[in-house]
Amino acid sequence: MFLDTVLTRNPGLVDAAAALHDQGAIPPDTYVMDLDAVEANAALLAAEAERLGVSLWFVVKQFGRNPELIRAVARHIPRYAAIDPPEARTLHSSGARAGNLGHLVQIPRRALPEMLAWRPETVTVYDLDNARAVSDTARRLGFVQDVLIRLEGAEGSIYPGQEGGVPLSRLDAFAEAAERLPGIRIAGVTAFPCVLCDPATGAPSATPNFALALKAREALAARGHTGLLLSAPSATSMASLPLLAALGATHGEPGHALTGTTPLHALDPAQPETPAYVYVTEVAHTLDDGRPALFGGGFYARSHIRSALLPRTGARLDVLDAPAENIDYYRLLDAPAPGQDVRVGDTALLAFRTQIFVTRSTVAVVSGLSSGAPRLNGLYDAQGRSLS
């Protein structure tokens, strides 16, 4: 999906990744992350958001919750939105500051004392039971916690496995009950996804969930709430920040923009963010009909993988589709053309959108590509734990 973009915008990353694998410094099934590119992307996004008057909470699941990359991003975007409690702990231990917790996964009650003690800016709540739990914990800790109300998504816009939230039709009743809870203050609303990229053009546009969030904020303002936040996550990038500002969002949540891997980047290499990772594996064996099989483990069902580059020969082979319900021990390539030489052990490079934390992959962090002196900083697992 992103291979042409990476080859155009960050060829040094491709060369460094191939060399590291050839040298045996990294194993197959490794994501090679360009630390300098990630930090440069964070700086770009922070400057544009400041210009537009939009605040940012950064998201890290797409690069394996990696502590080196977290610290690089936090130098420019200090606060994060944590997708779930394990991610929140990694972010906190890496020195970033809590912006929004409970964003997609509610905080388990037994974890609330630990995480509220970090004094997050906001906590997202999906229902009244979770609002009560946050209120009770905050009272015991001696403060009032700001909360964002997660809205139930518009019909047809909800991802399976991410259901929940307060229906707009029930918002007044929810707010009336929440206003009586002494340990919380209604600080705003959020929904997901609020922005998506057009599959054909890559252009970002608002989803019906954005309109729901705007209506919800108006309803809360009519109840007397002031200074209300509206976080509009998904596809936050240099291209979508003006849209967020124009529609009235107060917060965006960049994730894939930090690695230059939104759908728009796949279609338009001229986007300001630099593509910052490639996937490295190798030929494991060849089928009797000539199709090479790559070591897997790091593929992702929604990644729209198209082709693989075999640097030894420069061959580009199509990546064959595979059912999402199967374990990706291997991934097949199309058979090479007559005369094309493919050998077991050949390096294969791919570039596609992923969520590294759901894979079995290794993450290699590299730096110094722009100076021509690439350096392997360290190896990590897909949850950000050091393997070095």
Side-chain angles (χ1 to χ4, degrees):
M1 183 179 183
F2 294 98
L3 189 53
D4 289 330
T5 301
V6 177
L7 288 167
T8 300
R9 292 289 307 281
N10 200 349
L13 173 59
V14 174
D15 293 341
L20 287 169
H21 180 258
D22 286 342
Q23 296 159 10
I26 60 173
D29 183 21
T30 293
Y31 285 94
V32 180
M33 313 292 304
D34 183 343
L35 177 68
D36 300 329
V38 170
E39 181 160 1
N41 290 338
L44 274 176
L45 290 159
E48 179 69 354
E50 183 177 15
R51 184 184 73 82
L52 294 168
V54 176
S55 296
L56 296 180
W57 293 322
F58 71 94
V59 178
V60 301
K61 60 187 172 67
Q62 74 288 347
F63 56 65
R65 302 165 176 179
N66 186 277
E68 281 197 81
L69 301 175
I70 288 169
R71 288 189 287 269
V73 173
R75 285 193 279 271
H76 306 277
I77 305 171
R79 292 189 180 270
Y80 61 81
I83 300 305
D84 58 24
E87 182 167 293
R89 291 187 179 100
T90 299
L91 284 154
H92 178 71
S93 67
S94 299
R97 297 158 61 191
N100 184 24
L101 304 180
H103 164 74
L104 285 182
V105 178
Q106 292 288 270
I107 305 171
R109 294 188 177 207
R110 292 177 182 84
L112 280 169
E114 170 197 5
M115 295 188 178
L116 294 193
W118 303 341
R119 300 305 304 268
E121 284 187 303
T122 62
V123 171
T124 295
V125 293
Y126 279 50
D127 59 19
L128 201 54
D129 279 347
N130 278 280
R132 288 194 189 100
V134 172
S135 175
D136 291 345
T137 303
R139 281 196 75 193
R140 288 195 296 271
L141 293 173
F143 58 83
V144 175
Q145 175 63 55
D146 281 357
V147 299
L148 297 183
I149 301 170
R150 157 70 179 246
L151 298 166
E152 182 181 68
E155 186 175 355
S157 70
I158 306 165
Y159 294 140
Q162 298 181 19
E163 299 87 353
V166 178
L168 186 62
S169 62
R170 296 281 299 152
L171 181 61
D172 272 326
F174 177 92
E176 183 178 358
E179 288 159 2
R180 295 197 294 267
L181 298 174
I184 62 171
R185 184 184 77 90
I186 295 174
V189 296
T190 189
F192 188 84
C194 288
V195 176
L196 288 177
C197 294
D198 182 273
T201 67
S205 61
T207 72
N209 292 334
F210 208 138
L212 281 177
L214 290 167
K215 289 177 182 177
R217 185 168 64 177
E218 290 174 5
L220 292 173
R223 296 184 62 86
H225 295 278
T226 59
L228 290 165
L229 309 180
L230 192 164
S231 185
S234 189
T236 302
S237 66
M238 292 290 285
S240 67
L241 278 171
L243 175 68
L244 298 190
L247 292 179
T250 62
H251 287 72
E253 301 183 11
H256 278 282
L258 295 168
T259 50
T261 54
T262 76
L264 180 57
H265 290 84
L267 296 169
D268 181 9
Q271 286 300 302
E273 298 95 336
T274 301
Y277 69 76
V278 292
Y279 179 70
V280 181
T281 188
E282 68 180 61
V283 176
H285 61 274
T286 302
L287 276 62
D288 189 57
D289 61 10
R291 289 177 296 169
L294 305 179
F295 287 111
F299 295 99
Y300 180 58
R302 293 169 55 199
S303 57
H304 306 293
I305 308 166
R306 293 174 184 160
S307 66
L309 171 67
L310 305 180
R312 183 178 64 82
T313 63
R316 287 278 291 269
L317 299 180
D318 289 342
V319 180
L320 302 184
D321 290 336
E325 62 269 21
N326 287 23
I327 299 172
D328 61 330
Y329 293 117
Y330 302 105
R331 193 64 182 266
L332 293 178
L333 303 182
D334 202 4
Q340 281 188 323
D341 177 30
V342 176
R343 304 173 189 170
V344 168
D346 274 351
T347 301
L349 297 178
L350 303 91
F352 51 86
R353 181 180 174 90
T354 191
Q355 307 287 355
I356 294 176
F357 81 111
V358 301
T359 74
R360 307 186 299 275
S361 305
T362 300
V363 175
V365 177
V366 300
S367 61
L369 301 183
S370 60
S371 66
R375 181 171 72 90
L376 176 61
N377 292 39
L379 295 176
Y380 300 83
D381 69 11
Q383 298 294 328
R385 295 177 289 249
S386 178
L387 302 174
S388 301

